[in-house]
Amino acid sequence: TGPKPLAGKRVLVTAGGTVERIDPVRYITNDSSGKMGFAIAEAARDRGAQVTLVVGKADVEPPNGVDVVAVRSALEMREAVMERLPDVDVVVKAAAVADYRPARQATEKMKKSAEALTLELVPNPDILQEIGEWKAAREVGARQPFIIGFAAETTDVEKHALDKLKRKKCDLIVANDVTAEGAGFGIDTNVVSVYGPAGLVEKLPLLSKKDVAGRILDLIAVSTRPTGGNK
Ligand code: C5P
């Protein structure tokens, strides 16, 4: 029920943390709960969109009524996202992608020894940046996804958000100051500001992640309207 401003739109959302294997029983991950991305997927669904949710590790159940694609590592997430890009209208990259992965994944459980162990890490691809580059290389007239990134910052939120928006060629960046009371991992509330190419678009107060998602999807709906959009 309610208005369906995203009817007919395909929205791809990534959520949760990625899991980077060390060996069959050990891995590196982060504190992402998946809650923000799931709320985004739900809000898109409620506005009539056909939603694909690419999810890594999450602490809660994904919403009903969306196509869930389960992945583990950043490399798997990248593949799941890139292969679907030609068919999507909106991409929201709310996942906490690990910046590094172990250079080698042992196929057998690693044995303990008396020696110190050094784990070599190599950088993961920046999926959001690859999406932006893919879009920039699209020919004119081809379907162009509207791209939204997230940025968790602890200092100079605006500066870092705008820098990411440019570097990753996004249309909007949702920035949260993870040091702010009521913002960040695990909890049900968030405090975010949304930035576009021209600077601050909207500064939201402390809200539930569901309400934050609703406000972000309303911005997306306005920005992707065929006529009168501010894209
Ligand atoms: O650079 P940073 O990790 O802070 O950027 C955050 C944004 O970039 C998020 O939208 C996140 O999902 C995305 N990201 C990504 N691939 C990475 C790292 C971040 O898509 N390897």
Side-chain angles (χ1 to χ4, degrees):
T1 58
K4 300 276 185 264
L6 293 175
K9 299 268 186 205
R10 289 163 187 253
V11 177
L12 186 142
V13 181
T14 70
T18 65
V19 171
E20 311 296 336
R21 281 265 152 224
I22 298 168
D23 74 9
V25 298
R26 303 181 178 97
Y27 56 77
I28 297 172
T29 189
N30 58 59
D31 279 333
S32 175
S33 64
K35 285 178 180 173
M36 193 61 240
F38 287 3
I40 295 277
E42 235 176 322
R45 178 202 67 193
D46 292 345
R47 284 161 181 75
Q50 185 183 325
V51 181
T52 301
L53 179 59
V54 177
V55 51
K57 182 194 68 65
D59 298 337
V60 289
E61 287 297 311
N64 294 320
V66 306
D67 291 328
V68 176
V69 180
V71 298
R72 299 301 279 172
S73 64
L75 294 180
E76 284 175 29
M77 182 172 281
R78 173 216 237 166
E79 199 180 322
V81 170
M82 298 311 290
E83 76 184 17
R84 288 172 176 79
L85 271 191
D87 299 320
V88 302
D89 301 295
V90 178
V91 183
V92 185
K93 206 99 198 17
V97 183
D99 292 328
Y100 297 92
R101 67 178 181 277
R104 286 165 296 276
Q105 292 181 20
T107 49
E108 307 290 336
K109 183 182 171 199
M110 289 165 69
K111 293 287 178 213
K112 179 167 71 177
S113 85
E115 303 295 308
L117 174 68
T118 302
L119 198 58
E120 190 190 348
L121 301 178
V122 294
N124 268 327
D126 192 313
I127 305 167
L128 185 58
Q129 187 156 338
E130 288 188 8
I131 296 168
E133 281 159 10
W134 181 89
K135 176 177 171 177
R138 276 303 253 175
E139 50 198 84
V140 237
R143 192 199 283 257
Q144 299 277 5
F146 188 81
I147 307 170
I148 300 98
F150 272 69
E153 307 291 353
T154 53
T155 53
D156 294 325
V157 177
E158 168 156 7
K159 180 179 168 291
H160 289 127
L162 290 173
D163 173 64
K164 264 174 210 178
L165 183 108
K166 276 217 181 75
R167 186 157 40 85
K168 304 192 185 204
K169 303 183 169 70
C170 302
D171 297 294
L172 292 176
I173 281 271
V174 180
N176 53 336
D177 180 347
V178 289
T179 64
E181 189 80 33
F185 287 128
I187 56 175
D188 291 318
T189 56
N190 211 351
V191 186
V192 310
S193 296
V194 184
Y195 296 90
L200 184 68
V201 175
E202 203 173 1
K203 194 176 168 67
L204 298 179
L206 175 69
L207 292 170
S208 69
K209 284 184 177 172
K210 272 194 193 329
D211 288 340
V212 171
R215 301 281 283 265
I216 292 169
L217 264 295
D218 288 342
L219 278 175
I220 292 171
V222 169
S223 307
T224 58
R225 258 203 316 244
T227 50
N230 60 5
K231 192 177 158 187

